[in-house]
Amino acid sequence: MTITELKYLYHQDLLAEAIIEPSELDGGWVVEFRHKQGGFLMLTDIHGAECQYVDLDKASKSALAVGFSQVRIEAK
């Protein structure tokens, strides 16, 4: 889901938390969001491709842009 779509869900109070996890690429990070009704939603670009970040700060900024004031970071 894109940031815009995730913002909509956040403002509908449907997202529980933002999580940054190591990606399958070495040294990379992905951002996902836990839905309050269960399951996870991955941050994607407008073409549906999973967003990959090499910089943890940029991944955090994308997660915070959805509306959360904090982000959980999973260790590698």
Side-chain angles (χ1 to χ4, degrees):
M1 299 193 89
T2 65
I3 286 180
T4 302
E5 293 167 323
L6 289 161
K7 281 182 181 180
Y8 176 78
L9 293 178
Y10 176 83
H11 290 294
Q12 297 296 313
D13 198 33
L14 295 173
L15 299 178
E17 70 176 325
I19 305 162
I20 298 173
E21 297 184 330
S23 74
E24 294 179 8
L25 300 175
D26 289 333
W29 301 92
V30 294
V31 181
E32 66 181 15
F33 298 85
R34 188 166 57 87
H35 197 285
K36 286 188 175 180
Q37 295 177 345
F40 292 91
L41 303 168
M42 191 67 62
L43 177 61
T44 64
D45 63 20
I46 59 172
H47 304 290
E50 186 177 87
C51 293
Q52 301 274 337
Y53 298 91
V54 292
D55 183 272
L56 186 56
D57 288 334
K58 288 181 182 177
S60 296
K61 286 178 184 176
S62 291
L64 294 172
V66 170
F68 287 95
S69 59
Q70 63 182 17
V71 178
R72 181 165 51 108
I73 300 172
E74 293 289 321
K76 288 191 172 192

